[in-house]
Amino acid sequence: MDNSLENALYVVATPIGNLEDITLRALRILKNVDIIACEDTRNTSILLNKYEINTKLISYHKFSETEKSDFLLNYLKEGKSIALVSDAGTPLISDPGNILVQEVIKNNFKVISIPGASAIITLLSSTYRKDEDFKFIGFISRIKNQIIETISKNNNENLIFYESANRLLETLLIIQNEFPEKIVTIGRELTKKFEEIKTDNIQKIIEYYKTNTLKGEIVVFLHKSEIKELNLEYEIKKLKKLNFKDKEIANILSSLFEVNKNAVYKSAIEIKN
């Protein structure tokens, strides 16, 4: 069997917990590339030792991306092959690698993705959702107003993000205060021995984690909210009773319900208190 590899950068997905969740193709690539760039050589060594792979490792993390990208690019210029891995899951998905991939493409070398484990897809395939669409935003902000703004903008979308164990409750409490009817799925320690996936109303999720220890990697899935049918006349009359002007009513309702501002304004003029 010919194990020689093309002169390229191989972006290789690795297990997110269970070391058996790696493809045969990924193992072949990791065994036969000239060098493996990884976030932490200690973490990647655990995987390589399990499968008796002795390929040379080089540290490549978010604090060394620019410096190491130039070094790795020279490997490609010498006709060699490189694998890029993260500590867990698929590189570039909230993990280092973007600068390297950009430089490799800019210098006309190939980037070959070796698909595999992803915490996002693992969670989404373990619970229900109303529609196929979803939006992934990486790690959510730590700032209260930015959290509220993010959820508000995406309230009618299936929204998924990463959060740390020590911040999860704080983030959920901020969301609950503004969106008390939200349905939430929490994925914790996915694919590992103590994997836990819970779907419930946000209040019940908060109550559960107030009395249960939170550890490990966490993925949060906020289910999209139902879009309520708009009774335009009722909403306009309600705002008129609060002494809002027609233009203000148009701005408010178009923002809340994503309807045409001019159409609302025209209706507001015609409708009396």
Side-chain angles (χ1 to χ4, degrees):
M1 180 179 177
D2 182 10
N3 288 318
S4 61
L5 296 177
E6 188 174 353
N7 171 217
L9 172 67
Y10 294 85
V11 181
V12 183
T14 55
I16 59 175
N18 191 317
L19 294 183
E20 294 179 1
D21 293 334
I22 189 163
T23 67
L24 294 174
R25 184 183 179 205
L27 292 174
R28 179 175 62 83
I29 296 298
L30 294 176
K31 184 176 182 179
N32 291 287
V33 289
D34 293 292
I35 193 170
I36 299 172
C38 56
E39 281 188 89
D40 189 323
T41 56
R42 293 166 298 182
N43 289 337
T44 302
S45 291
I46 295 172
L47 175 67
L48 299 190
N49 289 339
K50 177 177 175 61
Y51 291 103
E52 300 180 348
I53 296 172
N54 300 309
T55 306
K56 179 182 177 182
L57 296 175
I58 180 174
S59 174
Y60 180 88
H61 49 72
K62 65 180 179 180
F63 302 110
S64 65
E65 280 195 84
T66 302
E67 172 196 347
K68 294 291 178 68
S69 291
D70 291 337
F71 173 83
L72 292 169
L73 190 59
N74 285 331
Y75 255 80
L76 293 178
K77 290 177 180 178
E78 293 171 2
K80 297 179 179 179
S81 56
I82 303 168
L84 173 68
V85 302
S86 59
D87 282 344
T90 303
L92 277 76
I93 309 300
S94 291
D95 279 324
N98 187 60
I99 293 175
L100 176 59
V101 167
Q102 184 178 15
E103 288 301 311
V104 169
I105 293 172
K106 189 163 67 176
N107 283 270
N108 298 314
F109 289 102
K110 286 184 70 173
V111 176
I112 301 174
S113 178
I114 311 300
S118 165
I120 306 160
I121 303 304
T122 300
L123 181 63
L124 287 175
S125 63
S126 302
T127 188
Y128 65 87
R129 63 184 189 277
K130 293 174 183 175
D131 299 303
E132 285 295 323
D133 64 296
F134 66 90
K135 183 175 183 179
F136 172 64
I137 57 171
F139 282 91
I140 198 165
S141 171
R142 296 185 173 189
I143 301 170
K144 178 179 179 180
N145 289 342
Q146 291 183 5
I147 292 173
I148 294 171
E149 182 181 1
T150 297
I151 308 305
S152 296
K153 286 182 178 178
N154 299 283
N155 194 33
N156 296 323
E157 293 189 68
N158 292 311
L159 189 68
I160 191 164
F161 57 85
Y162 295 139
E163 183 56 287
S164 63
N166 63 339
R167 286 190 48 83
L168 178 65
L169 271 176
E170 182 181 347
T171 298
L172 291 178
L173 285 166
I174 291 171
I175 296 170
Q176 181 201 27
N177 190 54
E178 299 291 328
F179 309 93
E181 301 304 318
K182 268 293 181 188
I183 300 299
V184 183
T185 298
I186 303 293
R188 186 179 68 80
E189 295 284 76
L190 295 175
T191 78
K192 299 179 183 178
K193 181 178 180 180
F194 297 106
E195 173 183 276
E196 181 178 64
I197 299 171
K198 293 193 70 66
T199 300
D200 213 325
N201 174 274
I202 190 168
Q203 180 179 346
K204 292 182 179 178
I205 292 289
I206 290 171
E207 290 172 356
Y208 175 80
Y209 283 115
K210 279 183 176 179
T211 56
N212 287 271
T213 304
L214 268 169
K215 292 181 179 179
E217 302 295 326
I218 299 200
V219 189
V220 181
F221 170 31
L222 298 182
H223 295 242
K224 68 190 298 183
S225 296
E226 292 284 355
I227 301 175
K228 297 179 180 178
E229 187 175 342
L230 174 61
N231 184 332
L232 188 59
E233 182 177 354
Y234 170 79
E235 297 294 341
I236 289 173
K237 286 184 176 181
K238 185 166 66 173
L239 291 173
K240 279 181 176 285
K241 287 180 180 178
L242 296 173
N243 297 318
F244 283 100
K245 305 296 184 184
D246 293 338
K247 285 187 177 180
E248 293 174 326
I249 292 172
N251 287 330
I252 292 169
L253 296 183
S254 64
S255 176
L256 287 175
F257 297 100
E258 299 182 357
V259 291
N260 185 275
K261 186 188 297 185
N262 292 331
V264 177
Y265 179 61
K266 182 179 178 181
S267 297
I269 294 173
E270 296 172 351
I271 295 172
K272 306 301 180 183
N273 285 9

